[in-house]
Amino acid sequence: AAAARPAAPKQPAANQAVAKPAGVPGAGAAAPAAAANPAARQLAIKKEELRRAITKPEHCQQFLQKGRLVGVKAGLTDLGWGIVCTATKAEPQWQLKVFVLSADKPRGQVRAFPLSCVQRISKVKAKLPDDRDPLAPDMLPVLFETLNKVKNHPNFGAKGIPELDPITEMKIPAEELGTLIQDIAALQQQLQQQ
């Protein structure tokens, strides 16, 4: 009799989003490896520490202007890059209205997010019409086209959309970040060598 073959792991469909662990930017497919690999787990922890430092209001509020691209997550769902429409300080924390694409709204929608949902902040600030309210319903096609132009720009093909550097561009004091940047780079290099 033929021996039973173990079933191949189920792969997500091409149009299905792969859930990332909560609060870990860029974790994606590496998440299962993180559970089994101590270096991957440590990398996820360090990236989350860096995300929390970057998204402190005192560090990021000046970058939350209309048109800025930010990576957002709602619960366990990584919505990817979106365009900031408004950012207001609503106690106890900042409230952002961000144009995002999602499975249920492939042409996009503007959703409200607390600052804690921001995973990364891009160097890119898209030019939106000054004379139009970005929250107006007739702006959805403009926001959709703008986001797609940025995401598909040839300059961002190989490395993706560039993120703000926490030290040189966001001016976060190096002593506040400690060795996070170096630790992340070392762990990434270690994982590449495995």
Side-chain angles (χ1 to χ4, degrees):
R5 239 182 240 210
K10 187 176 178 183
Q11 297 294 321
N15 62 353
Q16 249 183 336
V18 177
K20 295 180 181 180
V24 180
N37 186 328
R41 190 171 336 131
Q42 190 64 28
L43 177 61
I45 291 167
K46 295 290 184 182
K47 282 186 170 184
E48 173 60 12
E49 288 176 32
L50 180 60
R51 184 200 69 80
R52 287 176 189 237
I54 287 170
T55 58
K56 284 184 179 178
E58 61 268 24
H59 298 314
C60 70
Q61 65 187 10
Q62 66 181 334
F63 299 102
L64 300 177
Q65 315 107 330
K66 179 174 84 170
R68 176 77 62 187
L69 266 68
V70 293
V72 290
K73 184 182 265 190
L76 294 177
T77 305
D78 187 341
L79 297 171
W81 292 106
I83 299 175
V84 173
C85 295
T86 64
T88 55
K89 187 174 183 179
E91 294 302 328
Q93 67 173 336
W94 282 77
Q95 183 77 18
L96 283 76
K97 293 201 176 166
V98 180
F99 175 82
V100 292
L101 305 177
S102 60
D104 61 328
K105 297 281 187 179
R107 298 289 298 169
Q109 65 181 329
V110 175
R111 292 180 53 182
F113 295 97
L115 188 55
S116 60
C117 288
V118 172
Q119 301 299 301
R120 50 198 188 274
I121 303 172
S122 172
K123 294 180 181 188
V124 178
K125 183 174 173 248
K127 181 148 179 54
L128 299 177
D130 289 330
D131 59 341
R132 295 178 64 189
D133 177 5
L135 300 176
D138 66 331
M139 277 294 290
L140 288 178
V142 174
L143 292 165
F144 178 78
E145 182 179 332
T146 302
L147 182 58
N148 279 329
K149 277 184 183 176
V150 173
K151 287 169 72 174
N152 297 314
H153 196 283
N155 287 351
F156 307 142
K159 294 186 178 181
I161 295 173
E163 297 178 29
L164 287 169
D165 183 278
I167 296 172
T168 61
E169 293 166 321
M170 296 183 77
K171 307 293 186 215
I172 300 174
E175 58 273 4
E176 188 172 327
L177 294 176
T179 61
L180 270 177
I181 305 289
Q182 296 85 353
D183 292 348
I184 289 171
L187 287 164
Q188 287 173 330
Q189 185 175 12
Q190 181 182 347
L191 287 169
Q192 287 175 350
Q193 294 171 350
Q194 290 182 355

